[in-house]
Amino acid sequence: CPLCVNYLNKVPAYLSRLDAAGIDLAIVSSDSAAQLESFRAKLTSDAAKLPIFHSLSIQDAQTLGLYISHPRSETETDHPFPEPALFVVNADDVVQVIDIANNPFLRPELDGLLGGLEYIRSDKTYPIRGTFE
């Protein structure tokens, strides 16, 4: 999707800040290995080097709580796929930040997201939010 290409092409500009904050990056797609290689060809050379993994199953996407869509046409893809989501796992292996979209247009703005993550990482007492019971 052109939105995925555009978003991922912005990520390399933030790699040094991610590294300084101690944040490892992993990008996961439900596309096959062949589809991923075709997708990489559309990225900038820096973005094409990002750690992008393929073949996320629909079952695993559902377990993560992701929204699943059917392609609107054969040019989009040939299989149901998850809409964009972002998970940040803290040093205790607990999910601290979640952003799940039900369409391709909602993606966290990278500068604001990274500023927030830098703050969370610097304040060791910052709680996981949204846990009211």
Side-chain angles (χ1 to χ4, degrees):
C1 129
L3 297 170
C4 295
V5 170
N6 185 45
Y7 194 76
L8 291 180
N9 279 339
K10 294 176 184 177
V11 171
Y14 295 89
L15 291 177
S16 63
R17 285 178 65 189
L18 286 166
D19 187 52
I23 299 170
D24 297 322
L25 177 69
I27 301 160
V28 182
S29 171
S30 66
D31 285 344
S32 68
Q35 288 170 314
L36 176 57
E37 289 313 307
S38 175
F39 176 77
R40 277 188 198 277
K42 298 173 187 175
L43 298 171
T44 65
S45 60
D46 287 339
K49 296 173 191 171
L50 294 170
I52 306 174
F53 301 90
H54 58 81
S55 303
L56 176 70
S57 72
I58 294 301
Q59 180 181 7
D60 287 342
Q62 290 172 320
T63 298
L64 290 168
L66 306 185
Y67 291 96
I68 310 299
S69 294
H70 290 281
R72 297 182 64 221
S73 70
E74 289 180 11
T75 59
E76 191 171 42
T77 191
D78 62 353
H79 57 84
F81 59 92
E83 294 294 346
L86 180 138
F87 296 87
V88 178
V89 178
N90 67 20
D92 296 324
D93 290 331
V94 177
V95 176
Q96 186 158 21
V97 176
I98 301 172
D99 184 87
I100 297 175
N102 70 339
N103 65 73
F105 307 109
L106 295 175
R107 297 165 193 252
E109 185 270 318
L110 291 169
D111 196 52
L113 171 66
L114 193 49
L117 295 177
E118 289 166 335
Y119 176 77
I120 288 171
R121 292 291 167 105
S122 70
D123 179 355
K124 303 300 182 200
T125 64
Y126 193 85
I128 296 174
R129 306 301 300 254
T131 57
F132 178 82
E133 291 182 21

